[in-house]
Amino acid sequence: MQNPSNPSSNKLDREMGTRLPLTILVAEDNIINQKVVTNLLNRLGYKADIVSNGLEVLEAVQKQTYDLILMDIQMPEMGGEEATQSIRKTLPADLQPRIVALTANAMKGDRERFLESGMNDYISKPINIEDLVRVLSISQPVRKNTTNPEHADTMTPSAQNAVDPAVLLEFESLMGEDAHEMVVDLVDLYINNSPMLIEQMRRQITAQRLPELQRAAHTLKGNSFQLGANALGDICFTMEKLAKSGSIDGAADLLVQIEQEFQRVKQELENRYLSGT
Ligand code: MN
């Protein structure tokens, strides 16, 4: 696995917020960190609401639908993990935000714990702009999620490409300079991140933890549609609905399909984006 240590291109894409509009909530108790995050977001064309503990997060999500919550872990009153668990339990599925942990000391095992609590990702503090751009670029407006399954509806997924190339090409054309690099990073992240989600699904099936299974399937579904892996997205969506219905019947078979389809997706993405130079 290569570790692309690109010289950080210090060009801030001030139009990002126009091209990819997102409603963002920042939950952070440290005032300096609040300033840093909101400044970075502003420079990328985003405005964010700010709260300083988990209880305020829960109030805020009742008042407004957020696409993305940047969530500090350590906060007074209620920390980020507890707030996330509560959001995942209480908000309807089609209004669920993407939640990204902000953490000062990510250690081995932390990422798993954050995912376990229902978070989608994390970035380290002090926050660097590239991490923030990555997190923003794989977020999407919450209401858009519901349109994906329809157009990707297909009876014979294995007869066609695992990945619709138009999806990432369009994404790339929206992102402006350095877009290709960003897409390559995204693909790399997806390929590295997905096996963890699949492994999580396996554990949740074994343990019969349906809400957690639903969440993992939901995350892989969203990520897959984001990259144009529509057939895989569809199977994950089926898994998500199954778990939501309270049943585990057929989940093991679906998991096999997910694993097989992911291998096809991985192969195609690697060939297209990660091979050669
Ligand atoms: Mn804190």
Side-chain angles (χ1 to χ4, degrees):
M1 222 135 302
Q2 81 265 53
N3 187 5
S5 49
N6 308 325
S8 67
S9 54
N10 275 329
K11 274 172 242 139
L12 285 170
D13 179 359
R14 290 167 187 276
E15 305 296 315
M16 187 172 184
T18 312
R19 283 198 310 270
L20 181 64
L22 297 167
T23 52
I24 302 173
L25 179 66
V26 174
E28 168 65 66
D29 63 312
N30 178 311
I31 289 170
I32 302 277
N33 290 341
Q34 283 181 1
K35 275 235 176 317
V36 171
V37 180
T38 50
N39 261 308
L40 288 174
L41 287 170
N42 289 344
R43 283 161 186 238
L44 293 165
Y46 292 99
K47 277 193 288 200
D49 293 339
I50 303 168
V51 294
S52 54
N53 68 56
L55 293 177
E56 291 174 2
V57 170
L58 299 186
E59 276 171 39
V61 299
Q62 293 304 328
K63 287 188 209 137
Q64 199 194 315
T65 299
Y66 289 98
D67 301 318
L68 174 67
I69 302 179
L70 298 172
M71 183 94 84
D72 185 24
I73 297 293
Q74 312 274 351
M75 292 185 286
E77 314 286 341
M78 182 190 285
E81 284 170 86
E82 197 184 333
T84 300
Q85 281 166 350
S86 176
I87 287 170
R88 293 310 188 216
K89 264 187 227 138
T90 53
L91 283 190
D94 56 341
L95 297 181
Q96 285 287 342
R98 196 173 168 77
I99 302 180
V100 174
L102 304 176
T103 178
N105 44 0
M107 310 211 230
K108 230 181 150 115
D110 277 356
R111 191 186 170 98
E112 292 251 324
R113 228 186 52 241
F114 299 154
L115 293 174
E116 204 76 37
S117 77
M119 290 170 163
N120 301 94
D121 202 349
Y122 77 86
I123 52 184
S124 309
K125 292 187 280 192
I127 294 167
N128 82 45
I129 191 82
E130 282 166 6
D131 282 344
L132 189 60
V133 167
R134 174 182 67 79
V135 156
L136 291 166
S137 66
I138 56 178
S139 300
Q140 52 183 317
V142 163
R143 286 152 302 277
K144 238 207 253 166
N145 290 340
T146 54
T147 64
N148 278 326
E150 272 101 278
H151 84 245
D153 198 6
T154 158
M155 298 306 292
T156 54
S158 56
Q160 49 185 229
N161 286 349
V163 180
D164 176 2
V167 174
L168 280 179
L169 285 174
E170 191 194 350
F171 185 68
E172 201 171 320
S173 74
L174 291 174
M175 295 309 294
E177 337 174 13
D178 298 326
H180 187 71
E181 227 172 57
M182 187 180 293
V183 169
V184 169
D185 282 348
L186 202 61
V187 165
D188 200 46
L189 184 74
Y190 174 81
I191 287 175
N192 286 309
N193 191 49
S194 301
M196 204 155 58
L197 288 167
I198 292 171
E199 186 49 41
Q200 240 185 349
M201 282 188 235
R202 183 194 319 287
R203 283 204 313 269
Q204 311 306 1
I205 290 170
T206 307
Q208 309 214 352
R209 285 192 295 245
L210 293 176
E212 288 83 350
L213 173 61
Q214 185 187 338
R215 271 203 300 274
H218 178 83
T219 303
L220 187 57
K221 177 194 75 175
N223 295 350
S224 298
F225 283 132
Q226 180 75 53
L227 273 74
N230 294 331
L232 181 54
D234 278 346
I235 308 169
C236 291
F237 189 42
T238 305
M239 178 77 96
E240 182 188 0
K241 286 185 291 191
L242 180 72
K244 194 181 180 186
S245 79
S247 166
I248 206 142
D249 282 353
D253 288 345
L254 281 174
L255 186 67
V256 171
Q257 287 182 45
I258 286 171
E259 286 176 306
Q260 288 172 349
E261 185 62 19
F262 174 67
Q263 288 312 313
R264 295 201 325 127
V265 168
K266 183 181 172 193
Q267 194 64 57
E268 281 189 29
L269 286 174
E270 281 177 344
N271 290 344
R272 194 167 296 130
Y273 288 98
L274 305 180
S275 64
T277 48

